[in-house]
Amino acid sequence: MTGSSRPGHPRLRRTAGDRRAQLVQIGLELLPTTPVQELTIDEVARRAGISRSLLFHYFSTKREYYTAVTRAAADLLLEHLLPAPGTPAEQQVPGMLDRYVGWVETFPESHLAFVRGAGGGDPWVSEVYEETRGRLVEVALTTLDLPDDTLRRQLVLAWFAFTEDLVGSWVQEPTMTREELLALLRDVLDRLTTDDGRGR
């Protein structure tokens, strides 16, 4: 049998789930330089080696694709922020803050687009944003050993809003050292959550 007549290995076909995961991964790889709302379907399809029309076989609309990428990015952020099992209690919050600042330093434009998109009322961003903040609030309450009630949730949510705004601004225009920023964020959190934030 000649080389040309030998049967080749059968070409493996991706399942729909595998293809969706590949397309979302490409979106994630583009996020450091491109906010999710600015991802172009043509570029994603080109990188995946498929046609634009085939991409819409896996995601019916651009919004569905953008939502999937946003949700995947939010899941990665949560995984990145959560303390490793066995981390001493006193190191958990400082570690989470340090990793959050590092994430915003790495993805400044995507962070800004995420926060602004949620604040601007974009429903697909807002949904993922609220889910992510809700999960982070639960982690913070557990880490700080605080009761999970309406007051504490309001206080921790207010702190998250402050943290997002300050860290985003600081990355664009540093006005203090990184160590000073981390210390300030922790101090504000402690003040808010000590005696229910009423300074008594």
Side-chain angles (χ1 to χ4, degrees), residues 114-133:
F114 188 45
V115 173
R116 284 183 176 174
D122 198 326
W124 61 272
V125 178
S126 296
E127 180 182 351
V128 178
Y129 179 79
E130 293 302 328
E131 287 178 6
T132 303
R133 287 229 302 198

Side-chain angles (χ1 to χ4, degrees), residues 163-200:
T163 298
E164 286 173 352
D165 188 63
L166 180 59
V167 174
S169 299
W170 178 84
V171 167
Q172 299 294 328
E173 185 179 0
T175 53
M176 64 188 88
T177 67
R178 197 175 194 277
E179 291 71 23
E180 290 170 338
L181 173 67
L182 292 169
L184 174 62
L185 294 173
R186 181 57 198 266
D187 181 61
V188 172
L189 178 61
D190 288 343
R191 289 173 181 271
L192 278 174
T193 56
T194 300
D195 294 327
D196 302 338
R198 290 173 286 196
R200 293 186 305 175

Side-chain angles (χ1 to χ4, degrees), residues 56-164:
F56 287 116
H57 173 75
Y58 300 104
F59 298 94
S60 58
T61 64
K62 283 201 296 186
R63 176 164 292 185
E64 182 183 341
Y65 176 68
Y66 292 161
T67 301
V69 174
T70 301
R71 193 175 299 281
D75 289 342
L76 286 175
L77 171 62
L78 283 167
E79 182 181 338
H80 178 65
L81 293 182
L82 295 181
T87 302
E90 68 275 8
Q91 296 178 15
Q92 292 185 15
V93 172
M96 289 173 65
L97 280 172
D98 180 66
R99 291 189 293 276
Y100 177 70
V101 172
W103 186 83
V104 180
E105 288 175 317
T106 304
F107 306 102
E109 297 303 322
S110 294
H111 170 266
L112 186 62
F114 188 45
V115 173
R116 284 183 176 174
D122 198 326
W124 61 272
V125 178
S126 296
E127 180 182 351
V128 178
Y129 179 79
E130 293 302 328
E131 287 178 6
T132 303
R133 287 229 302 198
R135 291 165 68 183
L136 286 172
V137 167
E138 291 172 2
V139 171
L141 291 172
T142 300
T143 301
L144 295 167
D145 196 24
L146 293 172
D148 187 352
D149 57 27
T150 302
L151 173 59
R152 275 72 172 198
R153 279 183 169 269
Q154 288 176 343
L155 292 172
V156 174
L157 273 171
W159 176 76
F160 273 125
F162 168 77
T163 298
E164 286 173 352

Side-chain angles (χ1 to χ4, degrees), residues 19 23 41 45 48-59:
R19 180 65 80 182
L23 294 169
I41 296 301
I50 62 174
S51 67
R52 174 189 175 93
S53 59
L54 185 56
L55 185 146
F56 287 116
H57 173 75
Y58 300 104
F59 298 94

Side-chain angles (χ1 to χ4, degrees), residues 26 30 39-48:
I26 290 171
L30 291 168
L39 294 177
T40 65
I41 296 301
D42 288 338
E43 175 62 14
V44 173
R46 185 191 69 78
R47 290 184 178 228

